[in-house]
Structure formats: C-alpha cells, structure tokens
Amino acid sequence: MIASLSIAVKHRFPAIWRCVEKANGLLVKLIYGKRITAAGTFVNNSGGEFTIVTEKEIPALSRFLCGMTAERRKYFNPHPFDEASLKSMLHNGSFLMIATKAGEEISGYCFLRFFFNGKAFFGLTVGERNAGLGLGTRMWAMGAKAASRAGFRLFATISESNTPSLRSCARGCGMEKVETLPGGYILVRCRPVNNQSSR
C-alpha cells in the first residue's frame, strides 16, 4: 500500500517527490551516514568487480544509461539519466550508485536508495553486450549483502513481464513477493542468500 502510494506521488507529483527526496536525504545522512559509508566500503572491497560511482565517472555513466535500448528502458527508468540529475543523486546522501566495468567501459549499473524508515530499494541494469552472463545475479547478491551490512531491509519493484530480472533476483538473493503493484509490477523483499533470517 505504501509502496503504491510512493510510486503514485513520484510519477504524478514530481515537484513534491523532489522535496521528499531532499528531506529524506538529509535524514538518512544524519541517522545512517556511517552505516551507508560502511556499505560503500563493502562494495569497493567485494573483489574488484563493483565500485562506488564518483563524480568523475558521472559522464560515462550518463552515456551508458542514455545509450540503453527502448526495450531496456521500458523496465529500467527509475530516475533521470542526464549528468546534472546523476550528480544531484550522488550528493543527496541517500544513494549508493554502483558500477561495474568491462575494460574502460561501464557494463552495468545498480543503486541502493535508502529511506529514513530503515528500508532500501534496489535497481539495476546490465549492458546489452553483457546480458545473460550472470552479472545481474551478482549485482542482486552484492546489493542484498550491502543493504544488510548497513542494517536496512531491501526491496525492489520488478515487472512481472521482465523474466530475466525475476530470474536473476531469485538466483542472487532470497526473493519474497510482498505486494502486487499497479501496471503489472510486484514489490519483492530481498535478503542475502547466506542470511535469510536477517531483519
């Protein structure tokens, strides 16, 4: 119910949602700043595959996201992809933006969005050339562990038509359906596979 209301506000009243995000960022930074920093350290130390996005990587991330096909954007369009918006997210205090690279090029992107009520939401996309290689599954596993390390309950919204994402989520973490949302989406709870009972 709350997830449905939040999605409705985000899409129908973007100005109100921007105010909500700003206030949430301040509260999250104040209450959970150290925990989120620790989660970022965990990501950076998780074997070298994933790194926290820095400001110097924003142009490359924007190019990667703006270059997505219409099919991929249909299932992954959680925030604007322009550089100014990405920089705003980076400094908001409630986001961990994470990238993985193939050589010098970004091959996948995911983010944790933290809320002051102890919940976090996860979103991800994989470059078309890297689809089907298990990268999405590893992202789900890493995201669930990072959120757990920070002491947050992790959730995600996934289209019931997006079979690859549903499969990779189920493989990468403990996935539990929580709620059916409008537009053919479901809200799922994600737990680390090695700690199903956490929080």
Side-chain angles (χ1 to χ4, degrees):
M1 179 69 177
I2 294 176
S4 300
L5 180 60
S6 297
I7 292 170
V9 171
K10 177 181 177 181
H11 291 290
R12 296 179 188 174
F13 306 102
I16 294 176
W17 182 253
R18 285 193 294 272
C19 292
V20 169
E21 283 201 321
K22 186 174 181 178
N24 179 71
L26 292 172
L27 286 170
V28 167
K29 187 182 295 186
L30 178 66
I31 301 169
Y32 301 109
K34 290 183 179 179
R35 293 188 189 181
I36 293 174
T37 298
T41 301
F42 166 76
V43 171
N44 282 335
N45 292 339
S46 60
E49 183 172 22
F50 303 107
T51 58
I52 299 298
V53 173
T54 62
E55 189 158 342
K56 69 178 182 180
E57 294 165 317
I58 290 295
L61 178 59
S62 180
R63 288 193 301 272
F64 170 76
L65 294 172
C66 291
M68 287 195 307
T69 63
E71 178 67 19
R72 289 188 177 277
R73 192 176 290 226
K74 181 171 70 173
Y75 295 124
F76 185 81
N77 196 19
H79 56 71
F81 297 154
D82 61 282
E83 291 187 29
S85 296
L86 294 174
K87 285 181 182 178
S88 178
M89 289 170 54
L90 188 66
H91 298 295
N92 175 269
S94 61
F95 288 89
L96 275 184
M97 303 161 67
I98 303 159
T100 186
K101 294 183 178 180
E104 293 301 314
E105 295 296 319
I106 291 176
S107 55
Y109 162 73
C110 58
F111 67 89
L112 287 157
R113 173 181 283 177
F114 299 98
F115 288 87
F116 71 91
N117 62 358
K119 292 183 179 180
F121 282 78
F122 192 61
L124 67 88
T125 186
V126 174
E128 194 162 14
R129 287 182 293 181
N130 297 278
L133 301 177
L135 178 56
T137 298
R138 297 193 297 278
M139 283 182 168
W140 283 109
M142 178 273 301
K145 290 177 182 177
S148 180
R149 290 287 183 97
F152 283 76
R153 292 164 290 153
L154 186 63
F155 298 85
T157 57
I158 307 175
S159 170
E160 293 185 288
S161 300
N162 191 355
T163 303
S165 190
L166 289 169
R167 286 177 179 168
S168 65
C169 180
R171 290 171 182 157
C173 59
M175 184 181 81
E176 172 193 354
K177 181 178 176 180
V178 176
E179 183 182 349
T180 299
L181 302 173
Y185 279 76
I186 59 172
L187 176 69
V188 298
R189 172 84 185 271
C190 307
R191 294 181 173 89
V193 292
N194 61 348
N195 189 16
Q196 293 289 326
S197 62
S198 67
R199 288 180 64 82

